[in-house]
Amino acid sequence: MDYKNENLINPEIQMLQLPVSFHKKTRQNLVEAMKGVAQGRSIALFRGDTTKPIQDQDIEENFQQESNIFYLFGVNEPDCHAVLELDTGKSVIICPRIPEAYKLWMTVKEAPYYKQTYQVDEVKYDDEFEAYLKEKNPEEIHVYFGVDPDSGLTLPLPEQPFLKSYNIVNDKMYHILNELRVFKHQEEVDQMKFIGDVSSEAHVRVMANTKPGIREYQMEALFKFHVQERTGSKEKSYDCICASGNEGPSILHYHDNQRIVTDNSLILNDMGSKYNGYCSDITVTFPSNGKFNDKQKEIYNAVYDAYISVLRSIKEGVQWQDMHHLAEQRILEHLIKIGLVVEAPIDELVQKRVGAVFMPHGLGHLIGLRVHDVGGYAPGHPEKLKDLAGLRSLRTRRTLKAGMCISVEPGCYFNKVILEQAFNNPEVSKYLNKSKIEEYTCVGGVRLEDDVLITKDGHFNLTNVPRTVEEVERACAGLPWKN
Amino acid sequence: MDYKNENLINPEIQMLQLPVSFHKKTRQNLVEAMKGVAQGRSIALFRGDTTKPIQDQDIEENFQQESNIFYLFGVNEPDCHAVLELDTGKSVIICPRIPEAYKLWMTVKEAPYYKQTYQVDEVKYDDEFEAYLKEKNPEEIHVYFGVDPDSGLTLPLPEQPFLKSYNIVNDKMYHILNELRVFKHQEEVDQMKFIGDVSSEAHVRVMANTKPGIREYQMEALFKFHVQERTGSKEKSYDCICASGNEGPSILHYHDNQRIVTDNSLILNDMGSKYNGYCSDITVTFPSNGKFNDKQKEIYNAVYDAYISVLRSIKEGVQWQDMHHLAEQRILEHLIKIGLVVEAPIDELVQKRVGAVFMPHGLGHLIGLRVHDVGGYAPGHPEKLKDLAGLRSLRTRRTLKAGMCISVEPGCYFNKVILEQAFNNPEVSKYLNKSKIEEYTCVGGVRLEDDVLITKDGHFNLTNVPRTVEEVERACAGLPWKN
């Protein structure tokens, strides 16, 4: 066994911290936005995430901070609460008091640490929280409470028994705070560009080191190694999707990652990471042996056309749903040309949802402190659709505005279940060339996904991976890939 | 950026599966052990672990199966239950029924998959569970319920509302099943040797690639990469401890892993992994620049002497607490020789708990499907001590028997908090040479940890890492390290 490798661990790691001034600004913005909503001596109370044992063991799940408390206070330790006084703007972190004896077992952080690191106005221990509240005597305690439109879930509320004697308001702050989070500050864009770059490098490294015969999870392992080795991050944006062969890439959230990569197949790697709270979400598709075959290239270029058309069109003022339709149309045009879809007016194909047979998911989602970020559906913006295939999976239908960060992820798949349904539906099947489609199921699926910042005139790309057929093939060969 | 590396992803991965016959055997053993305890038509009901969203997101925590349902049925998918009929021995897996439409989004496993993979007698969907119970009409439903002595926690019980009409017995099976799990079958030993070998290789690879200037988390990243790249495992045995400098290694469960590795310091890496349910737990200590200095070598050899003395003594019939005392004595002898501890009869030093100033934790713990495995404290065996320093941290005080797997992990630390307490305690401080100890605090701490199987005549080592000073220095240089 010879595992020494001079370049495997490199002291020149990369780091980028959010300045405390950023959190101060987000707090000021929330105080401002809550004016006229919060009455008198009101406070906003946030519950950070907690240490969670794995089952009944004395081992814990990886900690991931709740995103609002992080956004507003920067606090990244478990078992904290935080208060923002909406009348005075004063900020208070409530931290756990950890017994002295624990210093033998762990790094114990005490009040001065929180004060110095996060530069809030005050730090209280959890056993001082009740007395603080009594003194402040707030007329309202605003908490963040709402149903997430993607998951249908809510966050747990603060549950200190002494809160019962106060007026807890849970229906005012959710959309106000979400709306602030939708529009990214420069500091946030810097963070997202940083983790986007590291994740992009990781993807390219995986492409250069993949060959037929390896297991899908080996690609996941290398991706995660690159990100943790470069940044130290153990945070999870989402489960890595490493899909190969003619079935895996057609399953949208496939993350079994157990199969052996076969020769002459496409690999769809949808992997992102999270650093200092902010997420990346990137998908590349590349040939297992480094060279696309003809069918793979045809489908790849259909998706590439959709991808580049959307990137050329997005800017402030554009409706996201129109971008979804644009991607769908581009893909349909290619499929007609190849002969998989019968020639027909594009409007008719769109109306019959033929595009959704091949791209059954939404074009993308807001991204930030969560991979599927908050604010996709909100009062005053288009509602979620219930019925239309593909469109009902859109995670937002908003009009784009500068400052939003969103993923652009068109795809074209040959999914068994969807195709069977389509072939059995006479309304749709009449547009499909079944025998020709069956020739292409070996392609599996293609998805290309970038994260971008919307600007007045276009977009700023947070992702940096090879995209054209030539670039991809160069990256697979381990060559400099940029045109 | 040139990241292509021919050896980074290697198709020759390693795999080892538990045979279904193993789970059949564990079920038969439980049926046997419950005879005379369970009445008439009784069943044992197990609740597998569930998919857990991260906060209110549509992203999930990494799944880790509950260890009893895995032990008895092998089932490794979320949201399952399983039944063992204690009268007939019949085995039933209750699996979730997942809507057809999910096949677009994920790999959907259906009843035939469970039946074929786990070869149980029957598979029911969760919506068929109530009817199955009605037909079986068990007089007792035994569930696994007890307080874990390490964490003080209990596992969640099955909570189907229709269970309320049955006689749920929660005080019979816990210790019976734990006791079966304490004694490992050959198939389990094979698994533990397998993951022990892979984890050992990962440690050696980290040692060969570490140098001053890197960050602690880069060692963690490489360890985890090696394990996942070789085996595919994403399971977590425990959080990686990568501690360097003169403070980190003295904090027993330090896992911040953020510091820069300094020259001329010791690195204490306590990292294990989990494969197919079974854990490894391994600690190495090595010099950051590859060569021990004199003080480091003295303390290292004190711990090595304790380590090798215990390994030479353990076998069936030996009391674990005696091994703890043996380790303590060996370390004290060295500390007296170096001049850190005042010459005094060993019995007196042990009685005054002077050894616990330097080794404040227990010598080790049972290991298996959990890193701190079940059965350490059980009826008919010595109880947990409440008072005596070091000894109260023992996770078991049992008499060793062939078939047990246990970690052997003596250590010697210069922990600020403990030393301050000791210097301020006249009963202890009179045995300590304070100024000399202060000269050695730069050593930080040393821990050496192997996992072993107890045999009639000794032990079988599940770990394979460099241990002598010469071996460690060779491994750090990337050379073949074995004598």
Side-chain angles (χ1 to χ4, degrees):
Chain A
M1 186 178 57
D2 177 16
Y3 281 136
K4 194 167 173 70
N5 176 331
E6 288 304 329
N7 302 314
L8 211 47
I9 299 187
N10 191 330
E12 284 143 33
I13 55 143
Q14 300 161 41
M15 288 181 93
L16 180 69
Q17 293 304 310
L18 276 169
V20 286
S21 61
F22 164 72
H23 303 289
K24 199 167 174 182
K25 187 162 55 179
T26 61
R27 290 195 298 271
Q28 281 166 346
N29 290 348
L30 180 60
V31 167
E32 205 55 44
M34 289 292 286
K35 273 192 180 144
V37 175
Q39 310 297 319
R41 290 182 318 284
S42 291
I43 65 169
L45 171 59
F46 298 91
R47 176 185 176 159
D49 213 332
T50 54
T51 39
K52 295 191 186 76
I54 296 180
Q55 295 141 3
D56 58 340
Q57 301 183 62
D58 56 350
I59 306 292
E60 285 149 15
E61 300 275 9
N62 294 339
F63 174 72
Q64 299 217 44
Q65 185 58 295
E66 191 280 318
S67 51
N68 292 298
I69 198 171
F70 179 80
Y71 181 71
L72 294 165
F73 301 88
V75 61
N76 212 358
E77 282 75 24
D79 305 313
C80 291
H81 288 68
V83 168
L84 178 58
E85 297 190 357
L86 296 171
D87 51 349
T88 65
K90 189 174 146 182
S91 53
V92 187
I93 288 176
I94 319 284
C95 70
R97 192 190 293 275
I98 297 172
E100 183 77 7
Y102 281 47
K103 286 185 181 165
L104 169 62
W105 294 90
M106 58 188 272
T107 306
V108 171
K109 291 174 177 171
E110 292 166 313
Y113 162 84
Y114 288 93
K115 186 86 171 67
Q116 202 199 320
T117 307
Y118 302 116
Q119 295 184 32
V120 288
D121 297 309
E122 218 172 325
V123 175
K124 298 278 185 191
Y125 285 108
D126 44 11
D127 53 24
E128 299 168 330
F129 185 24
E130 186 172 8
Y132 157 78
L133 267 191
K134 210 168 249 171
E135 195 183 324
K136 174 72 185 170
N137 193 23
E139 286 160 52
E140 297 172 347
I141 297 181
H142 289 268
V143 292
Y144 180 89
F145 185 76
V147 178
D148 182 86
D150 291 325
S151 68
L153 299 173
T154 58
L155 278 174
L157 291 173
E159 52 193 20
Q160 288 83 349
F162 53 79
L163 290 174
K164 288 205 180 108
S165 42
Y166 295 92
N167 178 20
I168 307 289
V169 183
N170 67 15
D171 61 351
K172 296 276 189 279
M173 195 166 60
Y174 186 73
H175 289 297
I176 289 174
L177 180 48
N178 284 354
E179 201 58 19
L180 291 174
R181 281 178 52 187
V182 165
F183 298 96
K184 269 61 180 177
H185 297 265
Q186 187 58 47
E187 297 92 330
E188 297 181 279
V189 174
D190 293 344
Q191 290 285 323
M192 293 182 70
K193 179 68 182 147
F194 171 80
I195 192 60
D197 280 343
V198 174
S199 305
S200 297
E201 279 171 25
H203 270 292
V204 173
R205 190 171 184 182
V206 169
M207 291 167 80
N209 287 284
T210 292
K211 51 195 171 252
I214 68 163
R215 298 259 172 178
E216 293 164 344
Y217 58 69
Q218 296 182 295
M219 299 188 283
E220 171 178 352
L222 180 54
F223 181 90
K224 293 201 291 201
F225 168 64
H226 185 85
V227 172
Q228 193 183 2
E229 194 267 327
R230 295 284 79 200
T231 71
S233 175
K234 299 187 231 185
E235 298 177 82
K236 171 168 148 182
S237 180
Y238 58 100
D239 282 312
C240 292
I241 296 169
C242 298
S244 71
N246 53 17
E247 195 186 356
S250 80
I251 299 171
L252 303 182
H253 287 176
Y254 172 92
H255 47 68
D256 311 359
N257 303 357
Q258 292 291 330
R259 295 184 205 192
I260 295 171
V261 171
T262 55
D263 192 18
N264 208 24
S265 72
L266 282 187
I267 293 169
L268 186 161
N269 280 351
D270 184 347
M271 303 193 277
S273 49
K274 196 172 181 178
Y275 174 76
N276 208 13
Y278 287 87
C279 294
S280 70
D281 183 355
I282 299 172
T283 310
V284 298
T285 306
F286 61 98
S288 62
N289 57 15
K291 290 277 173 198
F292 287 94
N293 66 31
D294 289 345
K295 287 198 181 74
Q296 290 168 351
K297 204 181 289 184
E298 286 171 308
I299 302 303
Y300 186 91
N301 279 329
V303 179
Y304 177 75
D305 192 2
Y307 158 87
I308 205 75
S309 300
V310 171
L311 287 188
R312 285 180 183 144
S313 308
I314 46 169
K315 58 179 177 184
E316 172 150 315
V318 163
Q319 290 216 19
W320 187 239
Q321 184 168 333
D322 290 343
M323 293 297 96
H324 183 94
H325 282 302
L326 174 60
E328 206 173 282
Q329 284 171 33
R330 283 285 178 277
I331 291 168
L332 282 170
E333 284 161 12
H334 281 258
L335 297 183
I336 290 169
K337 209 169 70 188
I338 314 171
L340 272 58
V341 171
V342 175
E343 181 110 38
I346 280 287
D347 286 352
E348 185 180 329
L349 293 171
V350 166
Q351 197 247 318
K352 297 289 185 183
R353 307 303 307 125
V354 177
V357 173
F358 301 96
M359 184 170 100
H361 60 72
L363 180 65
H365 48 82
L366 296 176
I367 181 167
L369 286 167
R370 303 176 5 159
V371 60
H372 303 143
D373 209 13
V374 296
Y377 291 101
H381 298 288
E383 283 179 15
K384 195 165 181 168
L385 296 172
K386 293 217 170 79
D387 292 323
L388 297 169
L391 297 170
R392 66 176 171 236
S393 297
L394 277 170
R395 290 178 192 266
T396 187
R397 294 175 62 225
R398 290 177 68 145
T399 302
L400 299 179
K401 278 193 154 186
M404 289 177 167
C405 287
I406 197 160
S407 74
V408 174
E409 45 176 315
C412 179
Y413 314 90
F414 298 89
N415 178 276
K416 268 197 265 178
V417 178
I418 296 267
L419 285 175
E420 210 178 290
Q421 282 170 0
F423 292 144
N424 290 331
N425 177 354
E427 282 288 285
V428 174
S429 68
K430 65 180 175 192
Y431 298 105
L432 302 177
N433 183 340
K434 188 174 174 184
S435 65
K436 191 83 181 172
I437 287 172
E438 279 165 353
E439 282 174 35
Y440 277 76
T441 54
C442 57
V443 173
V446 172
R447 179 163 64 249
L448 304 177
E449 179 179 22
D450 282 0
D451 308 324
V452 302
L453 167 74
I454 303 298
T455 61
K456 291 267 178 227
D457 308 314
H459 72 278
F460 173 69
N461 206 321
L462 305 165
T463 308
N464 182 24
V465 293
R467 285 304 184 202
T468 66
V469 161
E470 296 70 30
E471 285 176 338
V472 169
E473 291 185 347
R474 279 203 294 271
C476 290
L479 301 170
W481 57 266
K482 272 225 162 144
N483 264 332
Chain B
M1 188 176 61
D2 178 18
Y3 281 137
K4 193 165 173 73
N5 176 329
E6 287 304 330
N7 302 315
L8 210 50
I9 299 188
N10 191 330
E12 283 143 34
I13 55 145
Q14 300 161 42
M15 290 182 90
L16 181 68
Q17 293 304 311
L18 276 169
V20 287
S21 61
F22 164 72
H23 302 289
K24 198 168 175 180
K25 187 162 57 181
T26 61
R27 291 195 298 271
Q28 281 166 346
N29 289 347
L30 180 59
V31 167
E32 205 55 45
M34 290 291 286
K35 273 194 180 141
V37 175
Q39 310 298 316
R41 289 181 321 283
S42 291
I43 66 169
L45 171 60
F46 298 90
R47 176 186 176 158
D49 212 331
T50 54
T51 39
K52 295 191 186 77
I54 296 179
Q55 295 141 3
D56 58 340
Q57 300 183 65
D58 57 347
I59 306 292
E60 283 148 16
E61 300 275 8
N62 293 338
F63 174 72
Q64 297 218 45
Q65 185 58 294
E66 191 279 320
S67 52
N68 291 299
I69 198 171
F70 179 81
Y71 180 71
L72 295 164
F73 300 87
V75 62
N76 212 358
E77 283 75 23
D79 306 312
C80 290
H81 287 70
V83 168
L84 179 58
E85 297 190 357
L86 296 170
D87 53 348
T88 66
K90 190 174 144 180
S91 53
V92 186
I93 288 175
I94 319 283
C95 70
R97 191 191 294 275
I98 297 173
E100 183 77 7
Y102 281 48
K103 284 184 181 165
L104 168 61
W105 294 91
M106 57 186 273
T107 305
V108 171
K109 293 174 175 171
E110 293 167 309
Y113 161 85
Y114 288 93
K115 186 86 171 67
Q116 202 199 321
T117 307
Y118 303 116
Q119 296 186 30
V120 288
D121 296 309
E122 217 171 326
V123 176
K124 297 279 185 191
Y125 285 107
D126 43 13
D127 53 24
E128 300 169 328
F129 185 23
E130 185 171 10
Y132 158 78
L133 268 191
K134 210 167 247 173
E135 195 185 325
K136 174 72 183 173
N137 192 22
E139 287 162 51
E140 297 172 348
I141 298 182
H142 290 268
V143 291
Y144 180 88
F145 185 77
V147 177
D148 182 85
D150 291 324
S151 67
L153 299 173
T154 58
L155 278 175
L157 291 173
E159 52 192 20
Q160 288 83 350
F162 53 78
L163 289 174
K164 288 203 179 111
S165 43
Y166 295 91
N167 177 20
I168 307 289
V169 184
N170 67 14
D171 62 350
K172 295 276 189 281
M173 195 166 61
Y174 186 74
H175 290 297
I176 289 173
L177 180 48
N178 284 353
E179 200 59 18
L180 292 173
R181 281 180 52 188
V182 166
F183 298 97
K184 268 60 179 176
H185 298 266
Q186 188 57 47
E187 296 92 329
E188 297 180 279
V189 174
D190 293 344
Q191 290 285 325
M192 293 182 68
K193 179 68 181 147
F194 171 80
I195 193 58
D197 280 343
V198 174
S199 305
S200 297
E201 280 171 24
H203 270 291
V204 172
R205 192 172 183 180
V206 170
M207 292 167 79
N209 287 284
T210 293
K211 51 194 171 257
I214 69 164
R215 297 258 171 179
E216 292 164 345
Y217 60 68
Q218 296 183 295
M219 300 189 282
E220 171 178 354
L222 180 55
F223 180 89
K224 293 201 291 201
F225 169 65
H226 185 87
V227 172
Q228 192 182 5
E229 195 268 326
R230 295 285 78 201
T231 70
S233 175
K234 298 187 233 185
E235 297 177 84
K236 171 167 148 182
S237 180
Y238 58 101
D239 282 311
C240 291
I241 296 168
C242 298
S244 70
N246 54 17
E247 193 185 358
S250 80
I251 299 172
L252 304 182
H253 286 176
Y254 172 92
H255 46 68
D256 311 358
N257 303 357
Q258 291 291 331
R259 295 182 205 196
I260 294 171
V261 170
T262 55
D263 191 20
N264 208 25
S265 73
L266 283 186
I267 293 169
L268 186 161
N269 280 351
D270 184 347
M271 303 192 277
S273 49
K274 196 170 181 180
Y275 174 76
N276 208 11
Y278 287 87
C279 295
S280 70
D281 183 357
I282 299 173
T283 310
V284 298
T285 307
F286 61 97
S288 61
N289 57 14
K291 289 277 174 198
F292 288 94
N293 66 32
D294 289 347
K295 287 198 180 75
Q296 290 168 351
K297 204 181 288 185
E298 286 172 309
I299 302 302
Y300 187 92
N301 278 328
V303 179
Y304 177 76
D305 192 1
Y307 159 87
I308 205 74
S309 299
V310 171
L311 288 187
R312 284 178 183 145
S313 307
I314 46 169
K315 59 179 176 181
E316 172 150 315
V318 164
Q319 291 216 17
W320 188 239
Q321 183 169 336
D322 291 343
M323 293 298 95
H324 182 95
H325 282 302
L326 174 59
E328 205 173 282
Q329 283 171 35
R330 283 286 177 276
I331 290 167
L332 282 169
E333 285 161 11
H334 281 258
L335 297 183
I336 290 169
K337 211 170 68 190
I338 312 171
L340 273 57
V341 171
V342 175
E343 182 109 38
I346 280 287
D347 286 352
E348 186 180 329
L349 293 171
V350 167
Q351 197 247 318
K352 298 288 185 186
R353 308 305 306 126
V354 177
V357 173
F358 301 96
M359 184 169 99
H361 60 72
L363 180 65
H365 48 82
L366 297 176
I367 182 166
L369 286 167
R370 303 179 2 161
V371 60
H372 302 143
D373 209 13
V374 297
Y377 291 100
H381 298 288
E383 282 177 18
K384 194 165 182 167
L385 296 173
K386 294 217 169 76
D387 292 324
L388 297 168
L391 297 169
R392 67 177 169 231
S393 297
L394 278 170
R395 290 178 192 267
T396 186
R397 295 175 60 225
R398 291 178 67 145
T399 302
L400 299 178
K401 277 194 154 186
M404 288 178 169
C405 287
I406 197 160
S407 74
V408 174
E409 46 176 313
C412 179
Y413 313 90
F414 297 89
N415 178 277
K416 269 197 266 179
V417 178
I418 296 267
L419 285 175
E420 209 178 292
Q421 283 171 358
F423 292 145
N424 291 331
N425 176 355
E427 281 290 284
V428 174
S429 67
K430 66 181 177 193
Y431 299 105
L432 302 177
N433 183 338
K434 188 174 174 183
S435 64
K436 191 83 181 170
I437 287 173
E438 279 163 354
E439 282 173 35
Y440 277 75
T441 53
C442 58
V443 172
V446 172
R447 178 161 69 248
L448 304 177
E449 179 178 22
D450 282 0
D451 308 324
V452 304
L453 168 75
I454 304 298
T455 61
K456 291 265 178 229
D457 308 314
H459 73 278
F460 172 69
N461 206 322
L462 305 165
T463 309
N464 183 25
V465 292
R467 284 305 184 203
T468 66
V469 162
E470 296 70 29
E471 286 175 338
V472 169
E473 291 185 347
R474 279 203 295 271
C476 289
L479 300 170
W481 55 265
K482 271 225 161 145
N483 266 331

